[in-house]
Amino acid sequence: IRDQAGTGTVKATQLWGALSATLVFLLGFRSNKAYQRFWDGTTLLHQMWGEWFDAASCLVAFSSLAMREAGKIHAVNDFRHTLVRLFSLIHASALDEISHAENAEEGYPTLDIGNLDQSSLAYLKMCKFDQELNFNRVEVIVHMLQTLVVHHQDSGVLKIPPPILSRVFQTLSRGQVNLANCKKITSTLFPFPYAQMIAVLLVCYMIMTPVVMGCLCEKAHWAFIFTLLPVFGTCSLNYISRELEMPFGQDYNDLPLLEFQEHMNKSMLMLIHKEVDHVPHTSEKCPHDFDDCKRGISTKRPRHFLDPQGDKPVPKQVAQEPKQVPKLPEPVKAPEPQLPAPSSLEQKIASLESAIHNITQVLVECADRLGTCTCANVRPI
């Protein structure tokens, strides 16, 4: 048969080597494309989060000017809280869309979307579940955000020039483009002809390998080992490639989409914190000289320079009353003896002579009693 097939001079190991080389080439090609899709997936998710957070941060910063007007504080707070809820919802909806979890009962955690107005919630439900509409929820929320920005720019909440405000719309669109690229990964799979060819060659490889190794090895255990290793390696490489080709999902080897959403929620909460309108500045003892600033280069963290006795920053719009500390009763001091102040030099001399006379009399009395000395000749001065 080998002579009729023209393979009389070809060894079985050469046929097995040719099959192995073809299979390894195809598996290497698939592994390369799978890892590229996996890396593109995590890159696009970070870019999508970065673009949308940048847009939200710019809008909150633009609204800080209106906080200085007492009549617009409520409107600014309403705008900010609506903004962060919509951005949290759009990020969660995007993750639902690329992970094919849109029809699940519960999705990714969002920031208190239940406190949005009822008309907005009704429209968000209708755009997804109404068969006549069947709108894309992410696109609906993007349009809501743009309408929200335009409305509050006209009402004076966003007191910023229109050319600068247009940057927000560009950032929103770039985030949506990154989402579209993520959807391209989920909707475009590895070409089926390549996958089919790899599956057929794997079956042939698993059949030929034990036959070839049985002919080459005299010991059965060596034939088993040399059969198991290449077959296990090629099959494992094929399964790993299949896992990496679809990086979005709920499997253990997929990207951590839940952590991305939790990161987005923390970023949005930061934008409504009481310190969000804090304006940084240098301290009173800060040197404004080039050489002094250069000498201040340090590897210490900001916490190392924090003064524990310093005052904490307080937002301008929040007035905090000082705490009333109960006062302790003051100790009662004993009255000090008040001596009459001499009015002239003569009074001081007279007082001194009187004191010396009294001391002399005391000494004479003591000497008489002890009998140690005679002080008869001592006369008062």
Side-chain angles (χ1 to χ4, degrees):
I1 297 176
R2 294 179 62 184
D3 295 337
Q4 293 177 359
T7 59
T9 58
V10 179
K11 298 181 180 180
T13 54
Q14 294 176 341
L15 295 176
W16 180 80
L19 176 62
S20 301
T22 305
L23 182 59
V24 168
F25 173 78
L26 290 175
L27 288 175
F29 172 73
R30 185 174 190 178
S31 299
N32 184 26
K33 294 300 179 182
Y35 183 75
Q36 183 179 358
R37 289 163 61 92
F38 187 86
W39 186 255
D40 289 343
T42 184
T43 302
L44 292 171
L45 283 179
H46 281 89
Q47 290 178 349
M48 181 180 69
W49 166 83
E51 297 289 353
W52 283 343
F53 170 73
D54 184 33
S57 177
C58 288
L59 290 172
V60 172
F62 293 161
S63 65
S64 62
L65 298 178
M67 291 294 290
R68 303 173 183 176
E69 302 179 14
K72 293 184 179 179
I73 293 179
H74 176 73
V76 173
N77 289 329
D78 181 73
F79 167 72
R80 290 180 174 180
H81 282 264
T82 306
L83 187 73
V84 298
R85 285 165 172 78
L86 289 180
F87 268 108
S88 177
L89 180 60
I90 189 176
H91 193 269
S93 300
L95 296 183
D96 281 335
E97 192 170 339
I98 61 179
S99 62
H100 300 291
E102 297 174 286
N103 297 324
E105 183 65 24
E106 294 184 358
Y108 293 94
T110 54
L111 284 181
D112 192 27
I113 58 174
N115 279 322
L116 292 173
D117 61 288
Q118 291 298 312
S119 59
S120 298
L121 293 175
Y123 181 47
L124 290 172
K125 177 184 177 181
M126 182 176 57
C127 71
K128 181 177 180 180
F129 295 101
D130 193 341
Q131 298 299 328
E132 296 182 359
L133 299 180
N134 196 21
F135 294 153
N136 185 280
R137 176 173 288 180
V138 175
E139 296 175 356
V140 170
I141 300 175
V142 168
H143 183 70
M144 279 186 173
L145 286 169
Q146 293 176 346
T147 306
L148 181 71
V149 172
V150 171
H151 171 74
H152 284 89
Q153 196 271 340
D154 182 68
S155 64
V157 172
L158 298 174
K159 302 177 65 175
I160 206 72
I164 300 177
L165 187 61
S166 64
R167 180 179 178 273
V168 174
F169 297 102
Q170 299 173 5
T171 310
L172 274 174
S173 64
R174 286 198 299 266
Q176 195 173 6
V177 169
N178 292 324
L179 173 61
N181 289 328
C182 291
K183 294 168 61 177
K184 181 179 66 176
I185 295 177
T186 60
S187 60
T188 307
L189 304 178
F190 187 73
F192 179 73
Y194 281 107
Q196 191 176 26
M197 177 63 70
I198 291 174
V200 172
L201 291 179
L202 275 175
V203 173
C204 297
Y205 189 72
M206 287 186 290
I207 295 174
M208 290 186 61
T209 300
V211 176
V212 173
M213 293 304 168
C215 296
L216 295 178
C217 301
E218 297 179 358
K219 301 293 184 179
H221 62 276
W222 289 115
F224 173 77
I225 292 175
F226 290 130
T227 300
L228 177 64
L229 291 178
V231 172
F232 177 78
T234 51
C235 291
S236 299
L237 192 60
N238 186 45
Y239 289 138
I240 292 173
S241 301
R242 289 175 56 183
E243 282 289 322
L244 296 181
E245 284 170 2
M246 189 60 61
F248 310 117
Q250 304 295 332
D251 298 335
Y252 290 105
N253 295 321
D254 293 335
L255 293 173
L257 301 183
L258 180 60
E259 294 183 7
F260 279 93
Q261 180 61 25
E262 291 176 350
H263 188 194
M264 184 67 175
N265 290 338
K266 291 180 181 178
S267 302
M268 293 298 103
L269 287 174
M270 183 269 294
L271 297 180
I272 56 174
H273 192 260
K274 62 180 181 179
E275 302 291 347
V276 69
D277 294 320
H278 172 71
V279 180
H281 58 85
T282 57
S283 61
E284 297 179 356
K285 60 181 180 180
C286 173
H288 295 90
D289 184 69
F290 173 80
D291 295 331
D292 293 336
C293 184
K294 187 176 181 180
R295 284 192 296 268
I297 297 176
S298 174
T299 57
K300 294 182 179 181
R301 306 292 184 182
R303 64 176 182 271
H304 297 145
F305 300 97
L306 187 62
D307 185 8
Q309 303 297 332
D311 295 332
K312 296 182 179 180
V314 179
K316 295 182 179 179
Q317 68 273 17
V318 180
Q320 296 183 355
E321 298 181 356
K323 298 181 179 180
Q324 296 181 357
V325 182
K327 295 183 179 180
L328 298 176
E330 297 181 356
V332 180
K333 297 182 180 180
E336 298 180 355
Q338 297 181 358
L339 299 176
S343 58
S344 62
L345 183 61
E346 291 80 4
Q347 293 179 356
K348 293 182 180 180
I349 295 174
S351 300
L352 182 59
E353 291 179 352
S354 175
I356 294 174
H357 178 72
N358 295 334
I359 293 173
T360 303
Q361 289 181 351
V362 171
L363 291 175
V364 170
E365 292 177 359
C366 292
D368 291 341
R369 292 179 181 180
L370 295 176
T372 55
C373 62
T374 303
C375 298
N377 297 326
V378 179
R379 296 180 180 179
I381 299 174

